[in-house]
Each structure stands twice: as C-alpha cells, then as structure tokens.
Amino acid sequence: MKDGKKLWSGRFQADMDQRTQDFTESTETDLRLVEYDIWGSQTHAIMLTKQRIISDTDLQQIILCLDQVDQDFKAGNFELDPQNEDVHMNVELYLIEGVGAEFGGKLHTARSRNDQILTDVRLYLRQQILEMQQQLSGLCRSFLFIADQHYYTVMPGYTHTQHAQPISLGFWATAYVSKFLRDLKRFDSAYMLINQNPLGSAALAGTSFPIDRGLTAELLGFDGVQEHALDVISSRDFILETLSTLSILMVGLSRFCEEIIYWTTYEFRIAALDDQFASGSSIMPQKKNADLAELTRGRTGRVIGALIDVLTNLKGLPMGYNRDLQEDKPPLWQALDVVQSCLSILPDMLKTTNFDTDRMAQLCEANFIMATELANYLVAEHDIPFRQCHEIVGRIVGELSRSGRTFADRDQTQRLLSERGIDLKTGQLQRVLDPVDALQNNRSVGGTSPTEVKRMSQNFSTQLDEIGVQISSRLSRIDRARKKTRQIVDLVLGGKSLTTIEID
Ligand code: ARG
C-alpha cells in the first residue's frame, strides 16, 4: 500500500474491509517465490530497456532497488506484508517507496500479476523437480546397492500375498528401480512443459508494447516461450501434471513402505530396520516400529488430495485468470514438501535395513513355492502337456497339504509322483525343488536369473547416470541464466547503458 492505498485503488472510493484483506492475501504462500519474483522483475526491466520502452535511467533506478530488496530478503530483512496482498505487490511497493513512482512505477509496463505469478511458480517448480529427481535417483541407487549383494539370495515371490514362485532379493530390489525410473521420466516430461516462458502474456491478451519474450526467456533460463497469452494465464495443467507425477510416485513409495512394514513383523521376520530408522513405544518395552514407513504410507493421501484439490479447482473455470487459481499453490507446496521429506529419509532407511536371508531361504523350503517348477520339469523332461502337469502337481500338493506336509517331505513327494507313473531319483527331485536352481533357470528376458538381473541392474544404473547428466546440465543452464542476469545487473549498477551491453 502506498499512503495506505492499494496500487490498484484508483477506481475505489472506500478502503478494503480488513476481512476482505485477510481473506484474499497470499503472502505466507508466496514466501517461496520472492527470489523468483525479483529475478523475473530484473529480466523484465532489462527487456523493457533493451526494447526502448523504458530508459537507461529508469532501469538503473529499478535495478538498484531490486538489488536492494534481493539483499534485504537474503539477509532476512524483507518481509511480505499481508496488507500488500501478495509477493508481486510487496516487491513493487518496495521499489516505488525506494526510488519513487517516477521510476518504480514503470516496472509494471507490459506485465500483469497474472503472467508474473506463473513465471514465479515455474521458476520455483523446475528447481524442485530437479531436486526431487536427484533424491529419487538416490533411492534407486539404494535399491541397486541391495540388488548388487543379492543376485543369488532366494526369497518367496508373492501373488495375492501368497507364496507364488521363488525370486531373488536382487530381483525384488531392481523391480523398484524399474518402476521409479518411470517416475523419473514423468518428472522429465513435466519439466519440459514447465520450463516455458509465460512472461509477456500480460493480463490475458498480450500487449501493444514491442516486448521481446525471447529475451526474458533466455535470461530466466526457460527453454522457450509459451506463446498463447490467453492459454498461458488460464492454464495450470503443468501443476496437474506435476501433482499427478507426485501422486504416482507417492503411491509407489507407499507400496514399498507397506512391504517394509509387514516384512519387519514377527510373522514375516525377513527384514529388520536399523535402530536409527525405527521408533519405540512409551508403554511396551519390546516394540520396534517402522514409523517412517507408516508415516510415508499415511501421508500419501495428502499428495493425492492435492491433485484432487487442483483438479476440482480447475474444472469449472472459464478461460482467463480467475482468483480461484491462487489456490493452486498451497496444495502444490504441500505435495512437494511431503514427497521431499519422504525422499530425504527412505534411501538411508532402505540401505541400512538388514535382510534375513536364512529366513527367506527357509520360507522357500517350507511351502509349495516350487510347484510351478515341478510342473515345468514334467513338461520338459516327461513330455506331458502343461495343463496335465498342472493337474498332477496340484493333486500332489492337495494330498500333501491335507496330511499337513509340504514338498519338504521329499520321500512322500517322491512316492506321490511315482504313484502317477513319474519316477524321480532323490537327487533329481532335490534339484528340481531347489529354489536357487529355479532362479537361475528363469533366463527369459526380464526373468529372475542372476545374469538377467545383473544385466537389468547395469542398464538401470546407466539410465540413472544419463538422468544425472541431464539434471546437472539443466542445473547449470539455470545457473548460467542467473549469472547472465547478474552480470547485466552489475554492469547496469556500474553505470553502463544497456545499449552498450551485448546480451546474446
Ligand atoms: N496471488 C495471485 C495468485 O496466486 C497472483 C495473481 C493475482 N492476479 C490478480 N488478478 N489478482 O494467483
């Protein structure tokens, strides 16, 4: 507010009711956007000068003051005043109060808060996406670390949460890498749509001033200009895409956590958490709980809720800016915070988890997990059609289980096979029912054989390297854009005229 008046108050006769003020302001939410709002303003002012829409003197005053607000903010001396509504008004007012409306009042030429907010959010969000990609790559590396030690470690593979076929712990671990790599790719595709310049759309219709949208795109490190002004200021599908990527990722994290929770139960006992990543009970001295995993599972709803929130917000909006759109940010921030906090701890929780490989092997012996292998053996060695083998083995399983036995009772298994005309020597039966052999035999593409799992794991590791290179190159592109803006700001502060500064 200038002299207690809003910058837009020309047509108003009465001041805003305090309740209207409180209801509409967004300063707490906007706090994350201050540095991006300043960067956007610097590049806008530079562009206006380059295009001779404002003068070098105007630019010098504006840049001086924007630099001051930047320093004040970094030093913790610039706070967003709720009376000034949002980040944009707070920065602009600082400027107008600092250098007067004669200069500061020119910054908003050919610009609107509608394209400003999108600029700020896109600049912030692309940074967050790159950071989450780094975190998620870290989680994938933890899975690969486990896989690397357990290509031959047998464990039960489940369908319907019932013993199905033996797999290796390495096969299990690489399954998550295979899945999370898709989330990394979804982040990548969201990034490409996010990193487009909305600035210069102005309120909704573009502008009659001869602006250069390519120049602000370049200085802000955007990959291109998002052209259609009305679409730019109306659309939030880049936020939906981010939230849906976050939701899909979070559901994946939750499913992994669900496994950790029941794998660490007494009943399963195939994993034990490191003390550093577990909690106890205030009453039951024996408890060691998987709270990190439970809280990850429990916070998943907040991320999904954020997606539903924004989808619902958008579904009734006509083209144009609507104030409803201000409400896209709190759920987005919430989802980002939840995902980032989970990703900051899960890689270490996983890496330090102790897997009980003896117990895994015991479980593979204790039941009928080798039934499919036995049927496959009969197909291959006795030339019996698979459906018939399924029937034979099914009957044997039925008989054994009715008498309280399993394949672990080799003699009885051998007898039951022999009754059906299939004679297997003890050693042979032993080999057919060996889960490690079964792992090794599944050499089909993507199967459990150690060779396949190693191959996939190397392939995943290469993909992670490539994603890492892409993240670094994007981060350095952003850094170069920042430095370029900074360089121009410094030259302007040093009294240089923009006409003498080479920008491209
Ligand atoms: N606080 C607003 C938002 O987050 C900024 C844009 C305001 N535009 C407007 N016409 N009131 O969407």
Side-chain angles (χ1 to χ4, degrees):
M1 273 188 302
K2 181 130 173 64
D3 310 324
K5 291 261 172 259
K6 303 280 184 199
L7 285 179
W8 42 254
S9 66
R11 66 153 293 167
F12 290 81
Q13 286 187 320
D15 289 342
M16 190 184 252
D17 184 285
Q18 189 56 45
R19 287 164 301 174
T20 310
Q21 173 70 53
D22 297 343
F23 197 85
T24 52
E25 65 92 13
S26 60
T27 48
E28 210 184 304
T29 302
D30 289 2
L31 209 53
R32 303 184 186 209
L33 302 175
V34 176
E35 57 172 303
Y36 301 104
D37 201 75
I38 296 170
W39 188 11
S41 291
Q42 288 168 332
T43 63
H44 182 66
I46 291 167
M47 183 278 292
L48 289 178
T49 315
K50 196 84 192 160
Q51 297 302 101
R52 302 183 188 278
I53 299 166
I54 64 172
S55 71
D56 269 317
T57 321
D58 297 332
L59 179 67
Q60 242 152 31
Q61 297 296 321
I62 291 170
I63 287 290
L64 191 68
C65 208
L66 284 176
D67 198 44
Q68 190 58 49
V69 69
D70 195 28
Q71 284 175 30
D72 280 359
F73 179 68
K74 284 178 183 142
N77 298 328
F78 175 69
E79 280 174 12
L80 297 185
D81 181 353
Q83 293 296 114
N84 297 336
E85 274 187 82
D86 55 27
V87 59
H88 323 299
M89 286 308 192
N90 270 277
V91 173
E92 197 181 333
L93 268 157
Y94 181 101
L95 190 63
I96 290 173
E97 271 157 21
V99 291
E102 184 194 349
F103 299 109
K106 291 184 177 171
L107 178 63
H108 214 55
T109 314
R111 168 179 102 163
S112 150
R113 281 186 291 171
N114 298 349
D115 56 348
Q116 251 189 298
I117 188 66
L118 283 160
T119 307
D120 297 3
V121 173
R122 284 166 187 266
L123 293 176
Y124 169 70
L125 193 52
R126 71 177 181 190
Q127 191 76 31
Q128 300 305 306
I129 289 197
L130 295 175
E131 282 167 24
M132 287 185 296
Q133 279 190 310
Q134 281 174 327
Q135 288 181 307
L136 185 54
S137 301
L139 181 62
C140 290
R141 295 277 179 205
S142 290
F143 277 111
L144 288 181
F145 170 79
I146 290 162
D148 236 12
Q149 303 158 56
H150 295 289
Y151 293 117
Y152 293 87
T153 306
V154 283
M155 62 170 278
Y158 294 86
T159 61
H160 311 264
T161 329
Q162 307 280 340
H163 279 198
Q165 285 182 271
I167 60 173
S168 69
L169 182 54
F171 187 62
W172 169 85
T174 45
Y176 278 104
V177 184
S178 170
K179 184 255 174 297
F180 289 132
L181 270 167
R182 285 196 299 281
D183 294 302
L184 283 165
K185 288 170 193 164
R186 273 186 277 275
F187 275 133
D188 173 43
S189 86
Y191 187 95
M192 290 193 279
L193 290 181
I194 289 167
N195 202 30
Q196 300 293 322
N197 188 16
L199 199 58
S201 297
L204 77 164
T207 175
S208 54
F209 292 99
I211 58 171
D212 180 351
R213 300 187 64 194
L215 179 55
T216 47
E218 172 68 18
L219 291 177
L220 291 168
F222 284 123
D223 293 329
V225 171
Q226 194 193 350
E227 291 181 353
H228 197 295
L230 179 56
D231 173 39
V232 169
I233 57 95
S234 310
S235 300
R236 295 293 183 277
D237 39 68
F238 71 99
I239 292 181
L240 290 180
E241 197 177 358
T242 304
L243 285 173
S244 86
T245 299
L246 294 177
S247 298
I248 295 169
L249 166 59
M250 205 55 205
V251 167
L253 295 177
S254 182
R255 292 175 69 172
F256 155 61
C257 285
E258 169 71 10
E259 292 207 279
I260 291 296
I261 292 162
Y262 71 76
W263 284 20
T264 54
T265 58
Y266 179 78
E267 286 72 10
F268 262 77
R269 249 178 302 136
I270 56 176
L273 292 170
D274 188 279
D275 282 0
Q276 295 178 84
F277 300 105
S279 324
S281 152
S282 64
I283 176 169
M284 296 165 282
Q286 85 285 9
K287 290 304 287 291
K288 182 172 174 186
N289 299 326
D291 288 19
L292 291 175
E294 288 178 310
L295 287 169
T296 299
R297 191 177 60 179
R299 288 174 186 159
T300 301
R302 292 235 284 281
V303 179
I304 299 170
L307 171 63
I308 302 301
D309 184 336
V310 180
L311 278 169
T312 314
N313 180 328
L314 292 174
K315 78 173 182 55
L317 298 187
M319 276 289 178
Y321 177 83
N322 300 278
R323 194 65 182 265
D324 319 43
L325 293 172
Q326 181 168 300
E327 298 306 290
D328 60 0
K329 285 170 284 303
L332 177 60
W333 288 185
Q334 174 168 295
L336 291 170
D337 291 350
V338 168
V339 169
Q340 285 174 16
S341 80
C342 296
L343 287 177
S344 73
I345 190 105
L346 293 178
D348 284 342
M349 181 194 82
L350 173 65
K351 217 168 168 180
T352 55
T353 295
N354 186 36
F355 295 95
D356 188 338
T357 54
D358 292 339
R359 167 109 181 122
M360 288 175 169
Q362 265 168 26
L363 288 172
C364 287
E365 288 293 343
N367 212 340
F368 296 105
I369 204 158
M370 297 303 295
T372 311
E373 264 45 61
L374 182 55
N376 286 347
Y377 174 82
L378 299 182
V379 172
E381 300 297 321
H382 291 255
D383 198 24
I384 311 172
F386 179 78
R387 190 46 64 214
Q388 212 175 321
C389 298
H390 187 290
E391 172 75 16
I392 295 169
V393 177
R395 284 180 183 276
I396 296 174
V397 168
E399 278 196 43
L400 285 170
S401 72
R402 279 189 293 277
S403 62
R405 295 174 225 241
T406 67
F407 286 153
D409 190 332
R410 297 282 197 262
D411 291 344
Q412 183 62 5
T413 308
Q414 205 173 11
R415 256 193 304 279
L416 291 170
L417 278 165
S418 167
E419 278 172 19
R420 288 162 178 83
I422 300 153
D423 288 315
L424 279 186
K425 299 214 172 63
T426 313
Q428 210 169 6
L429 181 62
Q430 185 62 26
R431 269 197 304 284
V432 175
L433 293 180
D434 182 350
V436 180
D437 273 11
L439 283 187
Q440 300 188 354
N441 292 339
N442 289 344
R443 292 199 194 88
S444 57
V445 172
T448 59
S449 77
T451 358
E452 261 309 278
V453 180
K454 273 184 210 163
R455 184 190 63 76
M456 290 191 281
S457 152
Q458 270 157 15
N459 172 7
F460 295 155
S461 174
T462 310
Q463 289 189 49
L464 287 171
D465 289 343
E466 284 163 8
I467 290 169
V469 169
Q470 188 191 48
I471 297 170
S472 311
S473 99
R474 283 178 171 162
L475 285 171
S476 51
R477 160 102 173 88
I478 293 172
D479 195 48
R480 276 202 309 280
R482 262 189 200 283
K483 287 195 176 128
K484 195 165 188 178
T485 311
R486 185 69 237 173
Q487 210 182 358
I488 299 169
V489 165
D490 285 339
L491 289 169
V492 170
L493 290 178
K496 281 250 188 231
S497 156
L498 207 58
T499 45
T500 65
I501 301 172
E502 201 53 61
I503 292 186
D504 303 314

